[in-house]
C-alpha cells in the first residue's frame, strides 16, 4: 500500500514540474515585444537611426515591412554592417513582411540591393 502511494506522489511531482515549465515558458514569450522597423514608414532608407531611444531584449521580434520587389533584409555580422556587404551564407529575407527574433548582443541587418545600405538602409540592434 505504501508503495502505491509513493508512485502516485511521484506522478504528482512530475505533473507539477510540467505545469511549472509551461508557465515559465509562457511568461518568457509574453515578455517578448514586437517592433516594426522604421515604424509606419517601414524598412526603408535612413532607418539606421530608428533604434535610437528604444530598448530591446533577446527574444524580441523585429518586423521588417517593405516592397519586396525593391528591397530585402540580410542578417550580417559587424564587418558586413560596416562594409555594407553580405558575407557568404548570410540569411536573406525577401518576403516584404519578415519577422526576425533578436539574439542577445548586437544584431546587424542591411539591404543588399546595390547602393541601399550605403544610403542608410541598415540597422544595428543591441538586445540585452
Amino acid at each position: 500500500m505504501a508503495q502505491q502511494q509513493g508512485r502516485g506522489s511521484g506522478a504528482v511531482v512530475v505533473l507539477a514540474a510540467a505545469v511549472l515549465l509551461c508557465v515559465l515558458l509562457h511568461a518568457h514569450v509574453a515578455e517578448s515585444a514586437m517592433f516594426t522597423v522604421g515604424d509606419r514608414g517601414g524598412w526603408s532608407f535612413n532607418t539606421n537611426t530608428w533604434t535610437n531611444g528604444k530598448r530591446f531584449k533577446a527574444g524580441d521580434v523585429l518586423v521588417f515591412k517593405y516592397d519586396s520587389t525593391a528591397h530585402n533584409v540580410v542578417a550580417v555580422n559587424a564587418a558586413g554592417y560596416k562594409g555594407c556587404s553580405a558575407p557568404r551564407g548570410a540569411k536573406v529575407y525577401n518576403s516584404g513582411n519578415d519577422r526576425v527574433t533578436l539574439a542577445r548582443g548586437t544584431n546587424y541587418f542591411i539591404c543588399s540591393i546595390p547602393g541601399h545600405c550605403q544610403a542608410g538602409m541598415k540597422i544595428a540592434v543591441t538586445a540585452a
Side-chain angles (χ1 to χ4, degrees), residues 2 13 22 25 54 56 58 60 65 67 70 83 86 94 96 98 104 112-113 121 123 126-127:
V13 169
C22 288
L25 288 174
K54 294 177 177 63
F56 302 94
D60 285 350
K65 293 186 177 195
D67 177 355
N94 55 19
D98 307 311
R104 186 174 309 280
S112 68
I113 304 302
M121 204 163 174
I123 58 170
T126 302

Side-chain angles (χ1 to χ4, degrees), residues 43-47 67 69-72 84 110-122:
W43 173 236
S44 63
F45 297 102
N46 299 315
T47 55
D67 177 355
T69 64
H71 305 294
N72 65 16
C84 285
I110 67 170
C111 177
S112 68
I113 304 302
H116 290 199
C117 177
Q118 292 84 346
M121 204 163 174
K122 64 181 187 174

Side-chain angles (χ1 to χ4, degrees), residues 51 56-58 62 75-79 81-82 100-109 123-128:
T51 60
F56 302 94
K57 298 184 309 275
L62 297 183
V76 296
N77 56 22
Y81 179 81
K82 185 175 180 178
V100 180
T101 302
L102 293 174
R104 186 174 309 280
T106 305
N107 299 255
Y108 299 96
F109 304 95
I123 58 170
V125 180
T126 302

